[in-house]
Amino acid sequence: MIYGEKNVERPIRWAMVGGGVGSQIGYIHRSAALRDFNFELVAGAFDIDPERGREFGAKLHVAPERCYPDYKTMFAEEAKREDGIEAVSIATPNFTHYEIAKAALEAGLHVYCEKPMCFTTEQALDLKEAVEKSGKVFFVSYGYAGHQMIEQARQMVENGDLGEIRVLKMQFAHGGNNVAVEKNSASQAWRVDPAKAGPAFSMGDLGTHMLYLIEAICPDMKIKKVMCTKQAFVGSRYPLEDNAMSIMEYDNGAIAYLWSSGINAGAQFGFDFRIVGSKASIAWDAEKPNFLVYEEQGKIPQLMGRGNGYLYPSATADDRIGGGHPEGLFEAWSNVYTKFAKAIDKTDKGQEIDFWYPGIDAGIEGVKWVEKCVESGNNNSAWVEY
């Protein structure tokens, strides 16, 4: 149970790049990071427009002299201060992630980066080298992994409650991009521009979340090969896709079906999964995140609720308000940011990080998966070796 007690000796001096005016994801990052007093927002380069960024920073109670016109200036000026920043979150468009993340690592900062981490596996491996050279912590923003029932699912797989994993049916398929909303939304327009979004739209923006949940819940399974079919039903988005189905074969014989879509008309969120084992199956829906369905062959289905004593201890460790009360997105992201703070604290003390989290390797996997899916989709949905 989390009671808001300190996890680190003092709040970590933290900054943001991006996440400014009108950024919903920026607000989620700040709420998550600041919730448990693990971080203190002391600086930022919040906007591509310096004046607008300064005005926004003032509304966040950031000192005017520490609201910078760009990330390069911020990293350079903060390095001169005895009370300079120690960590940074990157909440900018996709095409900027690589250069900002690398600059942050070279400046000796711990990094929390929005996904996709970068555009190519080559860039991803370069960032891994920079992480290893810097000795700093690198998190990729897979915030949904902070939901408590994801940890319960992980423990059930690890303890053999499901038996051998056979099938994973994963989807992040909403209807919010059923029409060309980007024509009237600047925040959506860059997401369908290959130069700014990268080689994929729905797979990079949505599918990688589900890919990471597979990694988190079934960490011992490795992809052997991938097949993907992808479409741009809103034709102006081509060559990027707004709908894709990816099939992955794993080294243990399991198969996964992952639907990434923004054109699932009528679906508000469409983020759910079902994992089938040889003995039992589990199912989870992000719109009902406090519950995990457990269906053991030949027995009455069970609905497991967050915060209850019958769950594995690690699944209740991140509890905040006890069973029966609903928790959701902000709590999940806060749990991931708490891990970020704990990882920074352990690293700075020279201690081993003894818990799982979405790190640099998760970022590499997401980039590689998108590359392979695009390769398959561009070649008549041929199987691609992973």
Side-chain angles (χ1 to χ4, degrees), residues 75-145:
F75 294 167
E77 292 302 313
E78 287 293 310
K80 300 174 184 177
R81 302 177 62 109
E82 290 187 5
D83 63 347
I85 59 173
E86 300 163 289
V88 63
S89 289
I90 302 168
T92 55
N94 298 357
F95 72 101
T96 65
H97 293 174
Y98 169 70
E99 64 178 39
I100 300 174
K102 188 167 185 181
L105 291 167
E106 291 174 346
L109 300 173
H110 301 284
V111 178
Y112 194 111
C113 185
E114 264 299 331
K115 52 84 200 149
M117 186 171 70
C118 51
F119 284 177
T120 68
T121 299
E122 182 181 5
Q123 290 178 334
L125 292 174
D126 186 46
L127 285 178
K128 182 173 183 177
E129 184 178 340
V131 169
E132 292 171 346
K133 184 177 180 180
S134 69
K136 298 300 179 180
V137 172
F138 194 103
F139 268 50
V140 180
S141 188
Y142 291 125
Y144 301 108

Side-chain angles (χ1 to χ4, degrees), residues 312-329:
Y312 286 104
S314 61
T316 58
D318 290 336
D319 219 41
R320 293 174 178 273
I321 52 176
H325 300 282
E327 288 186 352
L329 179 70

